[in-house]
PDB file of all heavy atoms in Angstrom:
ATOM      1  N   LEU V   1     -22.161 -35.079 -26.655  1.00 98.00           N
ATOM      2  CA  LEU V   1     -22.985 -36.254 -26.860  1.00 98.00           C
ATOM      3  C   LEU V   1     -23.794 -36.494 -25.599  1.00 98.00           C
ATOM      4  O   LEU V   1     -23.363 -36.124 -24.508  1.00 98.00           O
ATOM      5  CB  LEU V   1     -22.151 -37.504 -27.157  1.00 98.00           C
ATOM      6  CG  LEU V   1     -21.512 -37.659 -28.532  1.00 98.00           C
ATOM      7  CD1 LEU V   1     -20.593 -38.876 -28.531  1.00 98.00           C
ATOM      8  CD2 LEU V   1     -22.577 -37.803 -29.603  1.00 98.00           C
ATOM      9  N   ARG V   2     -24.932 -37.136 -25.754  1.00 98.00           N
ATOM     10  CA  ARG V   2     -25.739 -37.542 -24.614  1.00 98.00           C
ATOM     11  C   ARG V   2     -25.996 -39.041 -24.696  1.00 98.00           C
ATOM     12  O   ARG V   2     -26.639 -39.511 -25.637  1.00 98.00           O
ATOM     13  CB  ARG V   2     -27.068 -36.799 -24.573  1.00 98.00           C
ATOM     14  CG  ARG V   2     -27.805 -36.965 -23.241  1.00 98.00           C
ATOM     15  CD  ARG V   2     -29.200 -36.388 -23.304  1.00 98.00           C
ATOM     16  NE  ARG V   2     -29.760 -36.184 -21.968  1.00 98.00           N
ATOM     17  CZ  ARG V   2     -31.057 -36.059 -21.711  1.00 98.00           C
ATOM     18  NH1 ARG V   2     -31.939 -36.098 -22.707  1.00 98.00           N
ATOM     19  NH2 ARG V   2     -31.468 -35.876 -20.470  1.00 98.00           N
ATOM     20  N   LEU V   3     -25.505 -39.772 -23.709  1.00 98.00           N
ATOM     21  CA  LEU V   3     -25.731 -41.203 -23.626  1.00 98.00           C
ATOM     22  C   LEU V   3     -26.964 -41.485 -22.789  1.00 98.00           C
ATOM     23  O   LEU V   3     -27.232 -40.792 -21.809  1.00 98.00           O
ATOM     24  CB  LEU V   3     -24.529 -41.910 -22.999  1.00 98.00           C
ATOM     25  CG  LEU V   3     -23.161 -41.669 -23.637  1.00 98.00           C
ATOM     26  CD1 LEU V   3     -22.103 -42.518 -22.937  1.00 98.00           C
ATOM     27  CD2 LEU V   3     -23.192 -41.966 -25.127  1.00 98.00           C
ATOM     28  N   SER V   4     -27.704 -42.511 -23.184  1.00 98.00           N
ATOM     29  CA  SER V   4     -28.879 -42.943 -22.446  1.00 98.00           C
ATOM     30  C   SER V   4     -28.746 -44.414 -22.097  1.00 98.00           C
ATOM     31  O   SER V   4     -28.186 -45.196 -22.864  1.00 98.00           O
ATOM     32  CB  SER V   4     -30.155 -42.742 -23.272  1.00 98.00           C
ATOM     33  OG  SER V   4     -30.351 -41.381 -23.589  1.00 98.00           O
ATOM     34  N   CYS V   5     -29.288 -44.787 -20.956  1.00 97.00           N
ATOM     35  CA  CYS V   5     -29.273 -46.166 -20.510  1.00 97.00           C
ATOM     36  C   CYS V   5     -30.605 -46.471 -19.852  1.00 97.00           C
ATOM     37  O   CYS V   5     -30.948 -45.865 -18.836  1.00 97.00           O
ATOM     38  CB  CYS V   5     -28.124 -46.398 -19.525  1.00 97.00           C
ATOM     39  SG  CYS V   5     -28.151 -48.002 -18.697  1.00 97.00           S
ATOM     40  N   ALA V   6     -31.345 -47.404 -20.430  1.00 96.00           N
ATOM     41  CA  ALA V   6     -32.654 -47.792 -19.920  1.00 96.00           C
ATOM     42  C   ALA V   6     -32.568 -49.158 -19.254  1.00 96.00           C
ATOM     43  O   ALA V   6     -32.124 -50.126 -19.867  1.00 96.00           O
ATOM     44  CB  ALA V   6     -33.681 -47.815 -21.044  1.00 96.00           C
ATOM     45  N   ALA V   7     -32.992 -49.227 -18.005  1.00 95.00           N
ATOM     46  CA  ALA V   7     -33.033 -50.470 -17.256  1.00 95.00           C
ATOM     47  C   ALA V   7     -34.461 -50.993 -17.211  1.00 95.00           C
ATOM     48  O   ALA V   7     -35.402 -50.224 -17.008  1.00 95.00           O
ATOM     49  CB  ALA V   7     -32.502 -50.271 -15.840  1.00 95.00           C
ATOM     50  N   SER V   8     -34.621 -52.291 -17.388  1.00 94.00           N
ATOM     51  CA  SER V   8     -35.939 -52.913 -17.323  1.00 94.00           C
ATOM     52  C   SER V   8     -35.839 -54.236 -16.583  1.00 94.00           C
ATOM     53  O   SER V   8     -34.752 -54.770 -16.381  1.00 94.00           O
ATOM     54  CB  SER V   8     -36.525 -53.125 -18.719  1.00 94.00           C
ATOM     55  OG  SER V   8     -35.699 -53.977 -19.490  1.00 94.00           O
ATOM     56  N   GLY V   9     -36.990 -54.767 -16.175  1.00 91.00           N
ATOM     57  CA  GLY V   9     -37.028 -55.982 -15.395  1.00 91.00           C
ATOM     58  C   GLY V   9     -37.274 -55.675 -13.931  1.00 91.00           C
ATOM     59  O   GLY V   9     -38.128 -54.860 -13.606  1.00 91.00           O
ATOM     60  N   SER V  10     -36.512 -56.303 -13.052  1.00 83.00           N
ATOM     61  CA  SER V  10     -36.672 -56.125 -11.609  1.00 83.00           C
ATOM     62  C   SER V  10     -35.921 -54.884 -11.157  1.00 83.00           C
ATOM     63  O   SER V  10     -34.846 -54.953 -10.546  1.00 83.00           O
ATOM     64  CB  SER V  10     -36.174 -57.367 -10.871  1.00 83.00           C
ATOM     65  OG  SER V  10     -36.870 -58.521 -11.287  1.00 83.00           O
ATOM     66  N   THR V  11     -36.506 -53.723 -11.446  1.00 75.00           N
ATOM     67  CA  THR V  11     -35.801 -52.461 -11.276  1.00 75.00           C
ATOM     68  C   THR V  11     -36.268 -51.620 -10.104  1.00 75.00           C
ATOM     69  O   THR V  11     -35.739 -50.528  -9.898  1.00 75.00           O
ATOM     70  CB  THR V  11     -35.929 -51.615 -12.547  1.00 75.00           C
ATOM     71  OG1 THR V  11     -37.301 -51.309 -12.771  1.00 75.00           O
ATOM     72  CG2 THR V  11     -35.368 -52.360 -13.754  1.00 75.00           C
ATOM     73  N   PHE V  12     -37.244 -52.094  -9.332  1.00 74.00           N
ATOM     74  CA  PHE V  12     -37.833 -51.207  -8.332  1.00 74.00           C
ATOM     75  C   PHE V  12     -36.978 -51.009  -7.097  1.00 74.00           C
ATOM     76  O   PHE V  12     -37.334 -50.212  -6.238  1.00 74.00           O
ATOM     77  CB  PHE V  12     -39.245 -51.666  -7.940  1.00 74.00           C
ATOM     78  CG  PHE V  12     -39.335 -53.058  -7.390  1.00 74.00           C
ATOM     79  CD1 PHE V  12     -39.031 -53.320  -6.071  1.00 74.00           C
ATOM     80  CD2 PHE V  12     -39.749 -54.102  -8.195  1.00 74.00           C
ATOM     81  CE1 PHE V  12     -39.127 -54.602  -5.552  1.00 74.00           C
ATOM     82  CE2 PHE V  12     -39.855 -55.392  -7.697  1.00 74.00           C
ATOM     83  CZ  PHE V  12     -39.539 -55.634  -6.369  1.00 74.00           C
ATOM     84  N   ARG V  13     -35.867 -51.689  -6.990  1.00 86.00           N
ATOM     85  CA  ARG V  13     -34.949 -51.468  -5.867  1.00 86.00           C
ATOM     86  C   ARG V  13     -33.546 -51.157  -6.382  1.00 86.00           C
ATOM     87  O   ARG V  13     -32.550 -51.676  -5.880  1.00 86.00           O
ATOM     88  CB  ARG V  13     -34.931 -52.661  -4.923  1.00 86.00           C
ATOM     89  CG  ARG V  13     -36.282 -52.950  -4.284  1.00 86.00           C
ATOM     90  CD  ARG V  13     -36.156 -53.777  -3.028  1.00 86.00           C
ATOM     91  NE  ARG V  13     -35.693 -52.982  -1.886  1.00 86.00           N
ATOM     92  CZ  ARG V  13     -35.609 -53.428  -0.647  1.00 86.00           C
ATOM     93  NH1 ARG V  13     -35.950 -54.679  -0.364  1.00 86.00           N
ATOM     94  NH2 ARG V  13     -35.179 -52.638   0.324  1.00 86.00           N
ATOM     95  N   ILE V  14     -33.478 -50.277  -7.352  1.00 90.00           N
ATOM     96  CA  ILE V  14     -32.190 -49.834  -7.866  1.00 90.00           C
ATOM     97  C   ILE V  14     -31.494 -48.968  -6.826  1.00 90.00           C
ATOM     98  O   ILE V  14     -32.058 -48.000  -6.335  1.00 90.00           O
ATOM     99  CB  ILE V  14     -32.352 -49.063  -9.184  1.00 90.00           C
ATOM    100  CG1 ILE V  14     -32.801 -50.012 -10.297  1.00 90.00           C
ATOM    101  CG2 ILE V  14     -31.047 -48.367  -9.568  1.00 90.00           C
ATOM    102  CD1 ILE V  14     -33.097 -49.319 -11.610  1.00 90.00           C
ATOM    103  N   ASN V  15     -30.274 -49.322  -6.489  1.00 92.00           N
ATOM    104  CA  ASN V  15     -29.470 -48.534  -5.560  1.00 92.00           C
ATOM    105  C   ASN V  15     -28.689 -47.433  -6.260  1.00 92.00           C
ATOM    106  O   ASN V  15     -28.558 -46.334  -5.733  1.00 92.00           O
ATOM    107  CB  ASN V  15     -28.494 -49.433  -4.799  1.00 92.00           C
ATOM    108  CG  ASN V  15     -29.132 -50.109  -3.612  1.00 92.00           C
ATOM    109  OD1 ASN V  15     -30.340 -50.333  -3.574  1.00 92.00           O
ATOM    110  ND2 ASN V  15     -28.305 -50.435  -2.623  1.00 92.00           N
ATOM    111  N   SER V  16     -28.157 -47.749  -7.430  1.00 95.00           N
ATOM    112  CA  SER V  16     -27.389 -46.758  -8.160  1.00 95.00           C
ATOM    113  C   SER V  16     -27.332 -47.123  -9.629  1.00 95.00           C
ATOM    114  O   SER V  16     -27.513 -48.279 -10.017  1.00 95.00           O
ATOM    115  CB  SER V  16     -25.966 -46.623  -7.598  1.00 95.00           C
ATOM    116  OG  SER V  16     -25.227 -47.799  -7.827  1.00 95.00           O
ATOM    117  N   MET V  17     -27.073 -46.122 -10.447  1.00 96.00           N
ATOM    118  CA  MET V  17     -26.817 -46.306 -11.863  1.00 96.00           C
ATOM    119  C   MET V  17     -25.596 -45.470 -12.204  1.00 96.00           C
ATOM    120  O   MET V  17     -25.404 -44.389 -11.648  1.00 96.00           O
ATOM    121  CB  MET V  17     -28.012 -45.886 -12.716  1.00 96.00           C
ATOM    122  CG  MET V  17     -29.305 -46.623 -12.367  1.00 96.00           C
ATOM    123  SD  MET V  17     -30.718 -46.162 -13.401  1.00 96.00           S
ATOM    124  CE  MET V  17     -30.297 -47.020 -14.935  1.00 96.00           C
ATOM    125  N   GLY V  18     -24.790 -45.984 -13.110  1.00 97.00           N
ATOM    126  CA  GLY V  18     -23.586 -45.256 -13.434  1.00 97.00           C
ATOM    127  C   GLY V  18     -23.020 -45.609 -14.782  1.00 97.00           C
ATOM    128  O   GLY V  18     -23.537 -46.466 -15.502  1.00 97.00           O
ATOM    129  N   TRP V  19     -21.949 -44.911 -15.115  1.00 98.00           N
ATOM    130  CA  TRP V  19     -21.256 -45.093 -16.380  1.00 98.00           C
ATOM    131  C   TRP V  19     -19.788 -45.375 -16.127  1.00 98.00           C
ATOM    132  O   TRP V  19     -19.145 -44.699 -15.310  1.00 98.00           O
ATOM    133  CB  TRP V  19     -21.388 -43.855 -17.264  1.00 98.00           C
ATOM    134  CG  TRP V  19     -22.781 -43.611 -17.746  1.00 98.00           C
ATOM    135  CD1 TRP V  19     -23.727 -42.830 -17.162  1.00 98.00           C
ATOM    136  CD2 TRP V  19     -23.373 -44.159 -18.924  1.00 98.00           C
ATOM    137  NE1 TRP V  19     -24.886 -42.855 -17.903  1.00 98.00           N
ATOM    138  CE2 TRP V  19     -24.692 -43.666 -18.995  1.00 98.00           C
ATOM    139  CE3 TRP V  19     -22.920 -45.011 -19.931  1.00 98.00           C
ATOM    140  CZ2 TRP V  19     -25.560 -44.001 -20.032  1.00 98.00           C
ATOM    141  CZ3 TRP V  19     -23.785 -45.349 -20.955  1.00 98.00           C
ATOM    142  CH2 TRP V  19     -25.085 -44.840 -20.994  1.00 98.00           C
ATOM    143  N   TYR V  20     -19.270 -46.373 -16.831  1.00 98.00           N
ATOM    144  CA  TYR V  20     -17.856 -46.696 -16.859  1.00 98.00           C
ATOM    145  C   TYR V  20     -17.380 -46.607 -18.297  1.00 98.00           C
ATOM    146  O   TYR V  20     -18.182 -46.611 -19.232  1.00 98.00           O
ATOM    147  CB  TYR V  20     -17.600 -48.102 -16.313  1.00 98.00           C
ATOM    148  CG  TYR V  20     -17.868 -48.265 -14.830  1.00 98.00           C
ATOM    149  CD1 TYR V  20     -19.165 -48.280 -14.333  1.00 98.00           C
ATOM    150  CD2 TYR V  20     -16.814 -48.415 -13.931  1.00 98.00           C
ATOM    151  CE1 TYR V  20     -19.411 -48.433 -12.977  1.00 98.00           C
ATOM    152  CE2 TYR V  20     -17.053 -48.574 -12.575  1.00 98.00           C
ATOM    153  CZ  TYR V  20     -18.352 -48.586 -12.107  1.00 98.00           C
ATOM    154  OH  TYR V  20     -18.577 -48.746 -10.762  1.00 98.00           O
ATOM    155  N   ARG V  21     -16.072 -46.534 -18.475  1.00 98.00           N
ATOM    156  CA  ARG V  21     -15.535 -46.535 -19.829  1.00 98.00           C
ATOM    157  C   ARG V  21     -14.222 -47.293 -19.866  1.00 98.00           C
ATOM    158  O   ARG V  21     -13.520 -47.406 -18.869  1.00 98.00           O
ATOM    159  CB  ARG V  21     -15.342 -45.114 -20.361  1.00 98.00           C
ATOM    160  CG  ARG V  21     -14.257 -44.304 -19.666  1.00 98.00           C
ATOM    161  CD  ARG V  21     -14.265 -42.869 -20.158  1.00 98.00           C
ATOM    162  NE  ARG V  21     -13.207 -42.075 -19.546  1.00 98.00           N
ATOM    163  CZ  ARG V  21     -13.078 -40.768 -19.694  1.00 98.00           C
ATOM    164  NH1 ARG V  21     -13.939 -40.095 -20.451  1.00 98.00           N
ATOM    165  NH2 ARG V  21     -12.082 -40.118 -19.104  1.00 98.00           N
ATOM    166  N   GLN V  22     -13.913 -47.813 -21.039  1.00 98.00           N
ATOM    167  CA  GLN V  22     -12.662 -48.519 -21.245  1.00 98.00           C
ATOM    168  C   GLN V  22     -12.095 -48.147 -22.605  1.00 98.00           C
ATOM    169  O   GLN V  22     -12.741 -48.361 -23.633  1.00 98.00           O
ATOM    170  CB  GLN V  22     -12.844 -50.030 -21.146  1.00 98.00           C
ATOM    171  CG  GLN V  22     -11.535 -50.793 -21.188  1.00 98.00           C
ATOM    172  CD  GLN V  22     -11.699 -52.240 -20.764  1.00 98.00           C
ATOM    173  OE1 GLN V  22     -12.803 -52.774 -20.748  1.00 98.00           O
ATOM    174  NE2 GLN V  22     -10.593 -52.862 -20.408  1.00 98.00           N
ATOM    175  N   ALA V  23     -10.913 -47.584 -22.590  1.00 97.00           N
ATOM    176  CA  ALA V  23     -10.200 -47.243 -23.805  1.00 97.00           C
ATOM    177  C   ALA V  23      -9.228 -48.362 -24.147  1.00 97.00           C
ATOM    178  O   ALA V  23      -8.816 -49.130 -23.268  1.00 97.00           O
ATOM    179  CB  ALA V  23      -9.452 -45.926 -23.627  1.00 97.00           C
ATOM    180  N   PRO V  24      -8.829 -48.478 -25.425  1.00 91.00           N
ATOM    181  CA  PRO V  24      -7.889 -49.528 -25.805  1.00 91.00           C
ATOM    182  C   PRO V  24      -6.613 -49.475 -24.977  1.00 91.00           C
ATOM    183  O   PRO V  24      -6.007 -48.413 -24.810  1.00 91.00           O
ATOM    184  CB  PRO V  24      -7.601 -49.227 -27.276  1.00 91.00           C
ATOM    185  CG  PRO V  24      -8.829 -48.524 -27.752  1.00 91.00           C
ATOM    186  CD  PRO V  24      -9.277 -47.688 -26.586  1.00 91.00           C
ATOM    187  N   GLY V  25      -6.214 -50.615 -24.441  1.00 93.00           N
ATOM    188  CA  GLY V  25      -4.990 -50.699 -23.666  1.00 93.00           C
ATOM    189  C   GLY V  25      -5.077 -50.145 -22.260  1.00 93.00           C
ATOM    190  O   GLY V  25      -4.054 -50.073 -21.575  1.00 93.00           O
ATOM    191  N   LYS V  26      -6.267 -49.758 -21.818  1.00 96.00           N
ATOM    192  CA  LYS V  26      -6.424 -49.175 -20.497  1.00 96.00           C
ATOM    193  C   LYS V  26      -7.433 -49.965 -19.675  1.00 96.00           C
ATOM    194  O   LYS V  26      -8.250 -50.718 -20.211  1.00 96.00           O
ATOM    195  CB  LYS V  26      -6.877 -47.717 -20.588  1.00 96.00           C
ATOM    196  CG  LYS V  26      -5.899 -46.796 -21.284  1.00 96.00           C
ATOM    197  CD  LYS V  26      -6.361 -45.359 -21.237  1.00 96.00           C
ATOM    198  CE  LYS V  26      -6.351 -44.815 -19.812  1.00 96.00           C
ATOM    199  NZ  LYS V  26      -6.748 -43.373 -19.770  1.00 96.00           N
ATOM    200  N   GLN V  27      -7.359 -49.794 -18.363  1.00 96.00           N
ATOM    201  CA  GLN V  27      -8.309 -50.411 -17.457  1.00 96.00           C
ATOM    202  C   GLN V  27      -9.663 -49.724 -17.558  1.00 96.00           C
ATOM    203  O   GLN V  27      -9.753 -48.534 -17.881  1.00 96.00           O
ATOM    204  CB  GLN V  27      -7.803 -50.319 -16.011  1.00 96.00           C
ATOM    205  CG  GLN V  27      -6.512 -51.068 -15.744  1.00 96.00           C
ATOM    206  CD  GLN V  27      -6.742 -52.546 -15.627  1.00 96.00           C
ATOM    207  OE1 GLN V  27      -7.657 -52.989 -14.930  1.00 96.00           O
ATOM    208  NE2 GLN V  27      -5.914 -53.334 -16.300  1.00 96.00           N
ATOM    209  N   ARG V  28     -10.723 -50.476 -17.277  1.00 97.00           N
ATOM    210  CA  ARG V  28     -12.035 -49.873 -17.184  1.00 97.00           C
ATOM    211  C   ARG V  28     -12.067 -48.939 -15.985  1.00 97.00           C
ATOM    212  O   ARG V  28     -11.572 -49.277 -14.904  1.00 97.00           O
ATOM    213  CB  ARG V  28     -13.109 -50.956 -17.046  1.00 97.00           C
ATOM    214  CG  ARG V  28     -14.530 -50.410 -17.061  1.00 97.00           C
ATOM    215  CD  ARG V  28     -15.548 -51.525 -17.034  1.00 97.00           C
ATOM    216  NE  ARG V  28     -15.456 -52.307 -15.813  1.00 97.00           N
ATOM    217  CZ  ARG V  28     -16.207 -53.368 -15.539  1.00 97.00           C
ATOM    218  NH1 ARG V  28     -17.108 -53.779 -16.419  1.00 97.00           N
ATOM    219  NH2 ARG V  28     -16.047 -54.020 -14.400  1.00 97.00           N
ATOM    220  N   GLU V  29     -12.654 -47.773 -16.154  1.00 97.00           N
ATOM    221  CA  GLU V  29     -12.681 -46.787 -15.097  1.00 97.00           C
ATOM    222  C   GLU V  29     -14.086 -46.232 -14.908  1.00 97.00           C
ATOM    223  O   GLU V  29     -14.870 -46.143 -15.848  1.00 97.00           O
ATOM    224  CB  GLU V  29     -11.710 -45.639 -15.388  1.00 97.00           C
ATOM    225  CG  GLU V  29     -12.063 -44.831 -16.626  1.00 97.00           C
ATOM    226  CD  GLU V  29     -11.141 -43.642 -16.839  1.00 97.00           C
ATOM    227  OE1 GLU V  29     -10.401 -43.279 -15.906  1.00 97.00           O
ATOM    228  OE2 GLU V  29     -11.166 -43.078 -17.958  1.00 97.00           O
ATOM    229  N   LEU V  30     -14.359 -45.848 -13.675  1.00 97.00           N
ATOM    230  CA  LEU V  30     -15.621 -45.191 -13.368  1.00 97.00           C
ATOM    231  C   LEU V  30     -15.624 -43.782 -13.947  1.00 97.00           C
ATOM    232  O   LEU V  30     -14.661 -43.031 -13.782  1.00 97.00           O
ATOM    233  CB  LEU V  30     -15.828 -45.123 -11.852  1.00 97.00           C
ATOM    234  CG  LEU V  30     -17.050 -44.329 -11.383  1.00 97.00           C
ATOM    235  CD1 LEU V  30     -18.337 -45.059 -11.753  1.00 97.00           C
ATOM    236  CD2 LEU V  30     -16.989 -44.090  -9.877  1.00 97.00           C
ATOM    237  N   VAL V  31     -16.713 -43.436 -14.619  1.00 98.00           N
ATOM    238  CA  VAL V  31     -16.902 -42.087 -15.132  1.00 98.00           C
ATOM    239  C   VAL V  31     -17.783 -41.285 -14.179  1.00 98.00           C
ATOM    240  O   VAL V  31     -17.423 -40.184 -13.758  1.00 98.00           O
ATOM    241  CB  VAL V  31     -17.518 -42.104 -16.543  1.00 98.00           C
ATOM    242  CG1 VAL V  31     -17.775 -40.683 -17.033  1.00 98.00           C
ATOM    243  CG2 VAL V  31     -16.615 -42.859 -17.504  1.00 98.00           C
ATOM    244  N   ALA V  32     -18.945 -41.827 -13.844  1.00 98.00           N
ATOM    245  CA  ALA V  32     -19.880 -41.144 -12.965  1.00 98.00           C
ATOM    246  C   ALA V  32     -20.927 -42.131 -12.491  1.00 98.00           C
ATOM    247  O   ALA V  32     -21.234 -43.102 -13.181  1.00 98.00           O
ATOM    248  CB  ALA V  32     -20.570 -39.976 -13.680  1.00 98.00           C
ATOM    249  N   PHE V  33     -21.475 -41.891 -11.302  1.00 97.00           N
ATOM    250  CA  PHE V  33     -22.632 -42.650 -10.867  1.00 97.00           C
ATOM    251  C   PHE V  33     -23.549 -41.775 -10.040  1.00 97.00           C
ATOM    252  O   PHE V  33     -23.139 -40.742  -9.504  1.00 97.00           O
ATOM    253  CB  PHE V  33     -22.247 -43.932 -10.106  1.00 97.00           C
ATOM    254  CG  PHE V  33     -21.735 -43.725  -8.701  1.00 97.00           C
ATOM    255  CD1 PHE V  33     -22.610 -43.639  -7.625  1.00 97.00           C
ATOM    256  CD2 PHE V  33     -20.372 -43.647  -8.458  1.00 97.00           C
ATOM    257  CE1 PHE V  33     -22.134 -43.468  -6.333  1.00 97.00           C
ATOM    258  CE2 PHE V  33     -19.888 -43.476  -7.170  1.00 97.00           C
ATOM    259  CZ  PHE V  33     -20.774 -43.382  -6.109  1.00 97.00           C
ATOM    260  N   ILE V  34     -24.798 -42.217  -9.942  1.00 97.00           N
ATOM    261  CA  ILE V  34     -25.801 -41.522  -9.155  1.00 97.00           C
ATOM    262  C   ILE V  34     -26.532 -42.559  -8.317  1.00 97.00           C
ATOM    263  O   ILE V  34     -26.944 -43.607  -8.815  1.00 97.00           O
ATOM    264  CB  ILE V  34     -26.766 -40.723 -10.070  1.00 97.00           C
ATOM    265  CG1 ILE V  34     -27.784 -39.943  -9.238  1.00 97.00           C
ATOM    266  CG2 ILE V  34     -27.453 -41.624 -11.086  1.00 97.00           C
ATOM    267  CD1 ILE V  34     -28.541 -38.894 -10.063  1.00 97.00           C
ATOM    268  N   ASN V  35     -26.683 -42.294  -7.014  1.00 95.00           N
ATOM    269  CA  ASN V  35     -27.332 -43.265  -6.152  1.00 95.00           C
ATOM    270  C   ASN V  35     -28.810 -42.930  -5.963  1.00 95.00           C
ATOM    271  O   ASN V  35     -29.328 -41.974  -6.538  1.00 95.00           O
ATOM    272  CB  ASN V  35     -26.591 -43.398  -4.818  1.00 95.00           C
ATOM    273  CG  ASN V  35     -26.695 -42.160  -3.934  1.00 95.00           C
ATOM    274  OD1 ASN V  35     -27.519 -41.275  -4.148  1.00 95.00           O
ATOM    275  ND2 ASN V  35     -25.839 -42.116  -2.915  1.00 95.00           N
ATOM    276  N   SER V  36     -29.481 -43.741  -5.143  1.00 90.00           N
ATOM    277  CA  SER V  36     -30.928 -43.603  -4.985  1.00 90.00           C
ATOM    278  C   SER V  36     -31.327 -42.280  -4.353  1.00 90.00           C
ATOM    279  O   SER V  36     -32.466 -41.847  -4.508  1.00 90.00           O
ATOM    280  CB  SER V  36     -31.484 -44.761  -4.159  1.00 90.00           C
ATOM    281  OG  SER V  36     -30.876 -44.816  -2.881  1.00 90.00           O
ATOM    282  N   GLY V  37     -30.413 -41.644  -3.624  1.00 92.00           N
ATOM    283  CA  GLY V  37     -30.683 -40.350  -3.036  1.00 92.00           C
ATOM    284  C   GLY V  37     -30.363 -39.179  -3.940  1.00 92.00           C
ATOM    285  O   GLY V  37     -30.523 -38.027  -3.537  1.00 92.00           O
ATOM    286  N   GLY V  38     -29.900 -39.468  -5.149  1.00 94.00           N
ATOM    287  CA  GLY V  38     -29.557 -38.424  -6.092  1.00 94.00           C
ATOM    288  C   GLY V  38     -28.142 -37.889  -5.946  1.00 94.00           C
ATOM    289  O   GLY V  38     -27.773 -36.942  -6.641  1.00 94.00           O
ATOM    290  N   ASN V  39     -27.360 -38.482  -5.056  1.00 97.00           N
ATOM    291  CA  ASN V  39     -25.971 -38.067  -4.913  1.00 97.00           C
ATOM    292  C   ASN V  39     -25.145 -38.585  -6.075  1.00 97.00           C
ATOM    293  O   ASN V  39     -25.321 -39.715  -6.522  1.00 97.00           O
ATOM    294  CB  ASN V  39     -25.395 -38.583  -3.599  1.00 97.00           C
ATOM    295  CG  ASN V  39     -26.128 -38.040  -2.395  1.00 97.00           C
ATOM    296  OD1 ASN V  39     -26.391 -36.848  -2.302  1.00 97.00           O
ATOM    297  ND2 ASN V  39     -26.462 -38.915  -1.456  1.00 97.00           N
ATOM    298  N   THR V  40     -24.228 -37.762  -6.545  1.00 98.00           N
ATOM    299  CA  THR V  40     -23.430 -38.100  -7.712  1.00 98.00           C
ATOM    300  C   THR V  40     -21.950 -38.097  -7.392  1.00 98.00           C
ATOM    301  O   THR V  40     -21.492 -37.405  -6.480  1.00 98.00           O
ATOM    302  CB  THR V  40     -23.695 -37.127  -8.866  1.00 98.00           C
ATOM    303  OG1 THR V  40     -23.376 -35.795  -8.444  1.00 98.00           O
ATOM    304  CG2 THR V  40     -25.157 -37.175  -9.292  1.00 98.00           C
TER     305      THR V  40
END
């Protein structure tokens, strides 16, 4: 699957974008993120 996330509004100083997930009965966890320098 490919997930997409579009940000709009005051977006010109985005530091990072990322994905989290939460399964039933579990804590929300970080899946992946990418910062302004392209580091993941």
Side-chain angles (χ1 to χ4, degrees):
L1 285 173
R2 193 188 197 200
L3 306 183
S4 299
C5 171
S8 61
S10 302
T11 62
F12 58 81
R13 299 200 77 174
I14 291 175
N15 277 26
S16 67
M17 303 181 75
W19 293 93
Y20 292 72
R21 68 187 182 187
Q22 187 166 18
K26 298 185 67 177
Q27 297 283 313
R28 185 175 63 182
E29 64 176 346
L30 174 69
V31 177
F33 74 86
I34 182 167
N35 69 15
S36 59
N39 299 313
T40 59

